[in-house]
Amino acid sequence: MVNKIIIANWKMHKSDKEAAELSKSVSDRANDMGVDVVLCPSSVSLKSVSENVKGKVKVGAQDIFYEDEGAFTGEISAVMIKDFAEYCMIGHSERRQYFNETDENVNKKIKKALEHGLIPIVCVGETLEEKDSGKSKEVVERMLKKGLEGIDITKVIVAYEPVWGLSTSGTGQVITTESIVDIHTDIKKFLKKEFDTETSLCYGGSVNPKNAQEILSLECVDGALVGGASLKVESFIEIVKITDSI
Ligand code: PGA
């Protein structure tokens, strides 16, 4: 059986010192469990986090640019990332929402990540408005079709994250287990139809120690992308432990 994967998205949190400390505490407690753990700190802490993890605990970046180098002020390339990280998140909803990330750019970034041996964690998910107008499936399928065009999807991890279900969304809405099963089943079917193969599918959106057991026990959930609850060692380790016991 393949291990489930728990990915920590620290977003724009933690100083370099805090990131180093947190990664060491997580790694000391999670490196020999039967769970793959990926810590995604801000880019400035990739080096220190990479120096503090071992065993099953790996490092991921939160984004990359789709060129190797050049006049792209403020951007960071896969070439720079790969010295410190094995994974790279691409297309997170906050990048799509605040930084004009498009499906076309997502596609270029995934190709670039793969070219340099990084494992892309490709995020898809609909907004509240899209959900309320009955467009969830259509939006997610468009993101998958365009984002993954021309890609060997067995080499990527897909994460379904409904924007309205994130802990910071302010909508007060929480997804039900039934809805996770429905949409994950749809996504898996869609990927099989479009790409004739399968890939790992994680769930993200307010995963915490209270709901981890229910969500991660689902057969259609291969892992979780955790934001808020990954910022403290106790809550994150609790999620990893629960996953390990499933
Ligand atoms: P959350 O964030 O766990 O705080 O909802 C998840 C994410 O945005 O990746």
Side-chain angles (χ1 to χ4, degrees), residues 9 11 92 94 161 165-168 204-207 225-229:
N9 176 12
K11 308 192 180 187
H92 188 277
E94 286 148 18
E161 295 204 301
L166 299 186
S167 65
T168 48
S206 306
V207 174
L225 183 45
V226 186

Side-chain angles (χ1 to χ4, degrees), residues 222-242:
D222 300 312
L225 183 45
V226 186
S230 71
L231 295 173
K232 291 213 166 78
V233 65
E234 295 306 332
S235 47
F236 187 66
I237 287 295
E238 192 56 32
I239 296 171
V240 177
K241 271 196 201 154
I242 291 168

Side-chain angles (χ1 to χ4, degrees), residues 130-144:
E130 290 161 343
K131 172 174 90 85
D132 287 348
S133 49
K135 293 205 179 117
S136 302
K137 203 168 167 228
E138 186 187 315
V139 168
V140 169
E141 290 184 355
R142 187 209 72 225
M143 288 177 175
L144 290 168

